Amino acid sequence: MYETSINERKLSEEALERQIVYIEKCKEKVREISEELGRPLKCCTQTFGCQMNARDSEKLLGILEQIGYLPTEDEKEADIVLYNTCTVRENANLRVYGRLGHLNTMKKKNPHMIIALCGCMMQEPDVVEKIRTSYKFVDIVFGTFNIFKLAELLYSRWNSNGQVIDIWEETKEIVEDLPTQRKYPFKSGVNIMFGCNNFCSYCIVPYVRGREKSREPKYIIREIERLVADGVKEVMLLGQNVNSYGKNLESPVSFAELLKEVEQIEGLERIRFMTPHPKDLSDDLIAVMRDSKKICNHMHLPVQSGSSRLLKLMNRRYTKEHYLELVEKIRHEIPDVSLTTDIIVGFPGETEEDFEDTLDVVRKAKFDSAYTFIYSKRTGTPAASMDDQVPEDVVKNRFDRLLETVHETAHAISNRYEGKILPVLVEDIDDHDSSMVTARMTNNILVHFPGGKELIGTVVDVYMDECKGFYYMGHRA
Ligand code: 5AD
Ligand code: SF4
């Protein structure tokens, strides 16, 4: 049923083989430098932005570890510092520039230090130009389409005098089977698709991540099976718009169908996904969620605005009414579901009335929580050239009111699990009390309860004693 085009498969196999050769060459070089210095070499990777970037960073760290670098959290002691950047809002860019100044100072003390930048921000020509001319101490620059080339780029840097810059506009191939170094032993992100075709008018993602491209189901399934064999209990299926998964495959497969396949994987206990788009959230998907024993009881469904007028300008292709109907349908089919969302305040031309509509949706949809963002103008997007940018003080005032409303509505429903026994996946020792552990319910809410590190990575039943706002305190049932 699942076929890959022969050409595509051959290309990605060739690309992988080529990188394996470079990994070996880099290993040799790392060994040499390490002998010269009389110590092992260390790498520090920093991730900005979303879950996609976090997953890419695991692949980048996997390559660096294969080459022979030991990971460190401390940039000062690193021989290679790699920033995987984000550009979805301007703040993310400013943070990177701020930190580059510090890296320059560190590099003066450790001339072996290699500074590498990759990710979404590097897909912007202005950024690359600025780094080429004003940040000459940066050694390697690459983008979102060629992260698999890290070893080759590093090797080129060692064999050249200047910056190595390699930015691709687009890619047709998806390189499978790269080495990865997972951050958590018991849960993992799994890319099911890359890129986005939606062109929401404020969003830079389609320009920096390219057109939508789905992975073949068999590769996704194989990756998850391997993860499970390696101790993973929970996967998060990742895509910018998971509802359009599979449409461009040779044999199209829907996201709902993919979920059913993933459900069959023995030993896998929990499935999450991110992010669905309201415009094409299907009844099939809701039904699969309802009937599944493994898909978590949580849906993150970005609304962005409650105003149908603004939604049109945002090119979201749904209305306030449609969104609220969806919420009703989801709650009807999956009564205990936890709903979260993303909201942007201060989109160009947003009036008080538009904003009131957003507050209205928050009250009606009763989100468990919401990520709230101040609109950030991104060069090259249609919204950047729209008239009527909203004054800063007005945006700030609306942002505060939105947060207050989100807190009020979330608080009103947050204690609904009190007195219930729920299965939770234990993630870590509690930051504040080492006799306690922190665990996640299927609805993504955290609970703290007495326990030790032997519980980490296991699913246990916990009695929810008390809601403390955004988290619970409990004890083992
Ligand atoms: N300004 C503010 N927020 C944005 N997002 C995307 N682009 C912008 C922007 N230009 C938000 C959206 C999206 C989330 C990942 O980031 O809410 O869902
Ligand atoms: Fe950006 Fe819209 Fe694509 Fe999400 S769906 S990545 S907001 S363009």
Side-chain angles (χ1 to χ4, degrees), residues 336 415-423 441 461-466 472-475 477:
D336 206 22
N415 64 357
R416 67 189 187 277
Y417 303 104
E418 265 180 17
K420 288 194 175 171
I421 294 172
L422 295 172
M441 305 182 213
D461 283 338
V462 166
Y463 187 87
M464 301 296 150
D465 292 315
E466 194 188 351
Y472 275 77
M473 303 304 290
H475 66 271

Side-chain angles (χ1 to χ4, degrees), residues 309-310 313 346-351 354 375 377 383-392 394-395 398:
R309 190 184 77 86
L310 277 198
L313 289 173
F347 183 82
E350 183 187 71
T351 62
D354 292 321
Y375 167 72
K377 188 172 171 174
S385 51
M386 287 181 187
D387 297 335
D388 279 345
Q389 303 279 334
V390 184
E392 216 172 287
V394 175
V395 176
R398 287 183 190 157

Side-chain angles (χ1 to χ4, degrees), residues 35 53 69 99 146 149 168 184 208 213 220 256 258 274 286 295 301 322 341 345 405 407 419 423 450:
E35 266 169 30
N53 265 16
Y69 284 98
R99 291 177 65 163
N146 54 349
K149 272 185 79 179
W168 294 10
Y184 301 96
V208 296
K213 187 157 178 57
I220 298 171
L258 176 74
M274 224 174 170
I286 299 174
I295 302 174
L301 193 61
H322 178 199
T341 199
V345 181
T405 308
H407 283 167

